[in-house]
Amino acid sequence: MSEIVYPPVIMAARGLFKALDLKFRLEGAERIPRTGGAVLVSNHVSYLDFIFAGLAAHPSGRLVRFMAKKEIFDHRIGGPLMRGMHHIPVDRDAGAASFKAALTALKSGEIVGVFAEATISRSFTVKDIKNGAVRMAVAGKVPLIPITLWGPQRMWTKGHPRKLLQRRVPIAITVGEPMYPKRGDDYDKATRDLRAQMSELLEKAQRGYPELPKPGQEWWQPAYLGGSAPTPEEAAALDLKELEARKSTRGDG
């Protein structure tokens, strides 16, 4: 597979991270296989997560093909970049085609990145997830690898202004123990186990984060740690309201 676009994008991102003096803490990178397919499942706290989740695979010399909503591929700037990096478009009205494309990538030895929560978590906890990632790993006969991110929400997340040039932000990237679901397993139980491991990894990163919010900046801290982010229940209500507004704008029934 030709890699004309991905390496320069990585170099540009690393140059920017260095200029901003971002403080990375990467744990568990050795759990990313150096060869063969895998499904990398990340939590979702910001619009920049695919960049930081991809960094987890760099020590193993791997590139991650992320599944992302089709609208990004339709963007006049983002689209060519996404296609050039061989990411996988997800059309929610044609999910079978997206699944097939991801499975083809897995069987050819690629790592496929999935944000199983589908949308950014406003509560900064792990939302309920569906069993698609588990089914994908089973169909591809590859490991399922959980990963969590903490810190990127301070730079750009839903409902808050972009601060892409913010300096010295600590970014925690944690790779969990691989899971090996197989055909015949209870996929819903495996999904619950996946979410539990992701929640545990995320809470550990949040509690061990080297900074606390300054006065007036408590929005980026989850409610259970005293922050002013919505609770999971409040976040779910906000998501539902947003979804209903989107349907109304499109004229859906």
Side-chain angles (χ1 to χ4, degrees):
M1 186 180 294
S2 176
E3 299 295 354
I4 299 173
V5 177
Y6 218 146
V9 168
I10 291 173
M11 289 180 62
R14 284 179 167 172
L16 178 60
F17 298 158
K18 185 175 182 180
L20 294 176
D21 196 20
L22 300 186
K23 306 297 184 183
F24 287 98
R25 186 183 70 196
L26 173 56
E27 298 181 3
E30 71 281 356
R31 293 169 175 157
I32 305 291
R34 293 187 174 274
T35 60
V39 178
L40 190 70
V41 186
S42 175
N43 70 316
H44 205 0
V45 295
S46 85
Y47 292 109
L48 305 172
D49 290 343
F50 73 97
I51 299 175
F52 296 115
L55 288 178
H58 292 177
S60 295
R62 306 299 302 276
L63 298 174
V64 182
R65 315 299 176 182
F66 285 97
M67 301 186 74
K69 60 183 181 180
K70 178 180 175 293
E71 289 79 0
I72 299 176
F73 291 79
D74 294 335
H75 191 273
R76 64 184 182 87
I77 297 175
L81 286 174
M82 295 294 283
R83 287 188 290 273
M85 290 185 280
H86 306 293
H87 294 313
I88 302 168
V90 176
D91 185 343
R92 291 173 184 170
D93 294 326
S98 304
F99 188 93
K100 183 178 179 181
L103 191 56
T104 297
L106 289 171
K107 289 184 175 180
S108 66
E110 299 283 355
I111 295 180
V112 172
V114 177
F115 294 103
E117 297 167 283
T119 58
I120 289 173
S121 172
R122 302 174 192 258
S123 68
F124 304 134
T125 60
V126 181
K127 298 164 63 174
D128 287 339
I129 59 180
K130 295 183 178 180
N131 65 18
V134 172
R135 291 190 298 108
M136 195 181 302
V138 170
K141 298 180 181 179
V142 299
L144 187 69
I145 305 175
I147 178 174
T148 58
L149 309 171
W150 187 242
Q153 79 281 3
R154 297 175 59 183
M155 301 178 73
W156 189 16
T157 194
K158 183 177 290 188
H160 296 277
R162 282 177 289 183
K163 295 184 178 180
L164 298 177
L165 300 182
Q166 190 172 180
R167 294 175 56 80
R168 299 186 178 87
V169 176
I171 305 291
I173 306 170
T174 312
V175 182
E177 292 285 351
M179 300 172 60
Y180 298 90
K182 61 185 183 297
R183 197 172 301 278
D185 286 352
D186 183 333
Y187 295 170
D188 289 335
K189 180 182 183 303
T191 300
R192 290 193 296 272
D193 291 344
L194 170 64
R195 180 175 181 266
Q197 185 178 172
M198 292 174 68
S199 295
E200 183 178 343
L201 292 172
L202 181 59
E203 180 174 351
K204 181 180 177 182
Q206 290 170 337
R207 291 188 182 278
Y209 196 66
E211 293 185 10
L212 293 174
K214 295 178 180 179
Q217 296 294 313
E218 294 88 352
W219 62 265
W220 61 259
Q221 187 81 308
Y224 83 93
L225 288 178
S228 59
T231 64
E233 294 76 19
E234 291 168 341
L238 289 169
D239 286 344
L240 180 59
K241 184 177 179 180
E242 181 183 65
L243 178 61
E244 290 173 344
R246 191 181 301 125
K247 286 182 178 179
S248 177
T249 299
R250 292 199 308 253
D252 293 354

